[in-house]
Amino acid sequence: MIAVKKLFFCVVTISVFLCVVMYCLMQRKNSQVIRDSVQYGSRVFTPDRVIENNLNDLAHYGLSQLQVDSFRNDSASPALISRQNISFYQNVKGLGMDSQMTNGVPIEAHRLAMTAIQNVEHINIGDFVKMKADEQNSTYIKALKLVGYTKRLPTVINIGAKKAGTTALQIFLSSHPQIASSLNHMEIHYFDWNYDKGIDYYRSRFQYSKESQEVFEKTPRYFITEEAPRRIKEDISPNVKIILVVRDPVKRAMSDYNHVRWVKRSLSTQLALREPHTEDTFEKTVFTKNGEVNADSELVHAGKYAMHLKRWLEYFPLNQILVLDGIELSTYPLTQMRKVEQFLGLQPYFTQEHFGYHEKLHVYCLVKPVNKCRYNSNHKSPEIILSDGLRNTLYDFYRAYNRELEEMLNQTFAWSNL
Ligand SMILES: Nc1ncnc2c1ncn2[C@@H]1O[C@H](COP(=O)(O)OS(=O)(=O)O)[C@@H](OP(=O)(O)O)[C@H]1O
């Protein structure tokens, strides 16, 4: 009997040991895949999936920069597009990507430009394909211009706040036919991190667009960047329209903490270095050892909305800044997007049919014309649990800022007096 028990014990121990080893190996593999993956719009592509889906084609379109570190490098020249036929787009569409590609030429613009090359420039496609890259490039850009498409600086900027729902806004707004976006819908970070690259670099990071379109970018870090409002006013125009999304600042800080920890765990050191400082728990990050709020922490600082907004108001009048509540955006996307349409003077486009509730994510996603949901990088992060005392201390800290924001905007927020 004792021998059977011992044998049973041994089998259980070995099985547990093997399970632990397998689990560790799988985690290692997963984290490698995450490190090497790239987020494209709302999708994440791992190297395996990209190779499966024809890396050669993707490489032609700038997607050879598949390391997260090269996100902000220049993309392929528009002329490369002419070397492939339209079926490439169908491939890409099959992958669930946008038809507006890395090089920023919308499919409609490409078709018009190719027609112009043949009918206006009188160059047949055979000759065009054989042209040297430089000549082909300039012919193509000239044709794009001829049909009304150029790269332009933004007319609308979503300045933040980080983790307040800005990606959802971007996904919704970018589907409006009168909106052109940044390439790949990337955050360009021009007015904070990439300012020394110059305005031509900034312009190059947008899709080709028509005069009748608004050009849109979102970089949530602009909101807390001291120089951003002045730079935007001086370098683009005093008429740029600004959209700010705000959210319960305590929830924002928690979401930010999870995001930063995820970036530090999963992405490159270069990207991680740019993220705010964090300790190994949320509590240690936002509170001092004495249990006071650590006002120096960027995670805390970013939620002092009234303070940041005041700085923006030194450069832009309030009627040029639309402030949305992130929670409203996740619950009533149609009402919020109608506000945005009105603010930007766009034709009414959105209807309830464009939005569908995602049961697992508990938010609304875009379901028309394509399914697109915010990829939630934090979904595996454990929920942050704070004692009632610390939670109240944090809410107390923000209350004065929240009330000031309400007064400035003559608008109330459900989280203002928590
Ligand atoms: N449809 C919709 N509407 C409003 N908010 C939404 C929506 N979808 C997602 N979310 C929540 O937004 C949080 C991420 O905010 P951002 O997209 O601004 O993050 S980022 O600054 O771009 O990284 C993130 O919050 P947390 O889940 O608390 O981390 C998302 O869940």
Side-chain angles (χ1 to χ4, degrees):
M1 189 60 191
I2 291 176
V4 173
K5 267 191 186 164
K6 268 190 184 163
L7 184 66
F8 177 72
F9 182 71
C10 280
V11 170
V12 170
T13 315
I14 290 169
S15 310
V16 169
F17 176 72
L18 285 176
C19 285
V20 170
V21 169
M22 276 176 65
Y23 177 76
C24 289
L25 286 174
M26 276 169 66
Q27 286 295 311
R28 233 184 108 190
K29 183 163 185 281
N30 284 347
S31 69
Q32 181 63 38
V33 167
I34 289 170
R35 248 198 310 281
D36 292 342
S37 70
V38 63
Q39 188 178 345
Y40 184 84
S42 62
R43 297 204 166 213
V44 172
F45 287 90
T46 63
D48 292 351
R49 282 184 61 191
V50 170
I51 288 162
E52 260 171 41
N53 290 305
N54 195 346
L55 183 59
N56 287 338
D57 266 356
L58 294 174
H60 268 294
Y61 292 84
L63 288 172
S64 54
Q65 311 153 12
L66 280 175
Q67 284 80 34
V68 177
D69 276 344
S70 62
F71 265 178
R72 295 181 180 85
N73 286 352
D74 281 334
S75 54
S77 79
L80 285 173
I81 208 169
S82 60
R83 299 212 177 115
Q84 303 286 327
N85 62 27
I86 291 285
S87 71
F88 168 74
Y89 283 108
Q90 280 143 9
N91 278 344
V92 166
K93 270 194 137 171
L95 296 180
M97 291 179 174
D98 302 334
S99 56
Q100 292 171 336
M101 290 301 302
T102 315
N103 48 36
V105 183
I107 189 155
E108 179 206 318
H110 174 66
R111 286 200 180 113
L112 290 170
M114 294 310 285
T115 309
I117 286 169
Q118 294 166 81
N119 298 347
V120 183
E121 300 291 326
H122 303 293
I123 301 170
N124 71 47
I125 293 295
D127 293 339
F128 180 69
V129 170
K130 283 187 218 138
M131 276 178 177
K132 283 193 187 142
D134 279 0
E135 196 189 346
Q136 196 185 59
N137 203 18
S138 57
T139 308
Y140 188 72
I141 291 173
K142 192 174 157 203
L144 278 172
K145 214 170 176 180
L146 207 67
V147 296
Y149 282 85
T150 51
K151 292 224 177 198
R152 295 182 297 137
L153 290 170
T155 52
V156 194
I157 305 184
N158 177 198
I159 56 170
K162 191 179 173 200
K163 310 315 291 180
T166 57
T167 313
L169 172 72
Q170 181 183 45
I171 291 174
F172 299 158
L173 189 55
S174 301
S175 72
H176 194 293
Q178 280 176 278
I179 294 286
S181 296
S182 55
L183 297 178
N184 291 340
H185 306 288
M186 284 291 175
E187 292 175 7
I188 307 179
H189 282 280
Y190 176 67
F191 295 103
D192 53 350
W193 296 339
N194 293 314
Y195 193 63
D196 56 353
K197 291 189 177 165
I199 201 79
D200 288 339
Y201 163 82
Y202 188 44
R203 192 184 290 103
S204 76
R205 307 317 290 157
F206 288 92
Q207 294 169 346
Y208 281 83
S209 60
K210 298 181 278 194
E211 272 297 323
S212 57
Q213 289 179 302
E214 297 282 340
V215 182
F216 171 79
E217 192 232 335
K218 81 122 177 161
T219 297
R221 208 171 163 277
Y222 291 162
F223 184 48
I224 62 162
T225 302
E226 294 270 331
E227 308 83 0
R230 181 184 52 78
R231 287 174 171 175
I232 291 176
K233 184 173 177 175
E234 286 175 3
D235 299 356
I236 306 190
S237 153
N239 301 325
V240 174
K241 290 166 206 133
I242 308 287
I243 303 181
L244 170 68
V245 187
V246 289
R247 175 192 186 184
D248 176 340
V250 175
K251 292 200 173 132
R252 193 220 68 81
M254 290 178 171
S255 171
D256 204 356
Y257 176 80
N258 279 336
H259 175 82
V260 174
R261 297 302 286 182
W262 174 78
V263 171
K264 290 184 178 175
R265 252 191 339 262
S266 319
L267 300 186
S268 72
T269 333
Q270 199 196 338
L271 284 180
L273 280 175
R274 286 173 154 169
E275 291 292 336
H277 172 78
T278 48
E279 299 287 341
D280 60 1
T281 64
F282 176 73
E283 197 175 313
K284 282 192 215 159
T285 309
V286 303
F287 292 100
T288 63
K289 287 198 176 96
N290 307 328
E292 284 160 11
V293 175
N294 177 7
D296 293 336
S297 159
E298 188 175 314
L299 258 61
V300 173
H301 179 72
K304 300 173 189 169
Y305 304 137
M307 191 190 88
H308 300 296
L309 184 59
K310 263 193 213 157
R311 197 177 50 251
W312 284 84
L313 288 172
E314 286 170 27
Y315 298 89
F316 296 97
L318 189 54
N319 64 8
Q320 226 168 290
I321 305 179
L322 176 69
V323 182
L324 300 175
D325 188 345
I327 194 77
E328 300 274 313
L329 196 61
S330 60
T331 344
Y332 308 107
L334 179 58
T335 325
Q336 299 307 302
M337 293 317 293
R338 285 203 172 140
K339 266 192 201 171
V340 177
E341 286 176 336
Q342 212 169 10
F343 174 69
L344 299 179
L346 302 175
Q347 279 155 17
Y349 165 77
F350 293 106
T351 62
Q352 197 57 55
E353 282 179 3
H354 288 94
F355 309 101
Y357 191 69
H358 196 297
E359 298 292 341
K360 278 194 188 148
L361 296 177
H362 306 293
V363 287
Y364 276 91
C365 301
L366 190 76
V367 291
K368 191 182 152 187
V370 286
N371 277 318
K372 214 168 177 188
C373 213
R374 188 190 187 282
Y375 166 70
N376 193 345
S377 53
N378 305 330
H379 66 288
K380 284 193 182 129
S381 304
E383 195 191 339
I384 293 170
I385 312 280
L386 268 190
S387 68
D388 285 351
L390 287 181
R391 182 177 291 267
N392 290 341
T393 309
L394 208 44
Y395 275 109
D396 289 346
F397 174 86
Y398 280 122
R399 199 164 299 117
Y401 294 105
N402 294 346
R403 287 190 182 151
E404 196 180 354
L405 181 74
E406 288 187 324
E407 275 167 29
M408 284 162 87
L409 301 173
N410 196 16
Q411 186 176 340
T412 53
F413 298 102
W415 37 263
S416 180
N417 285 312
L418 289 177

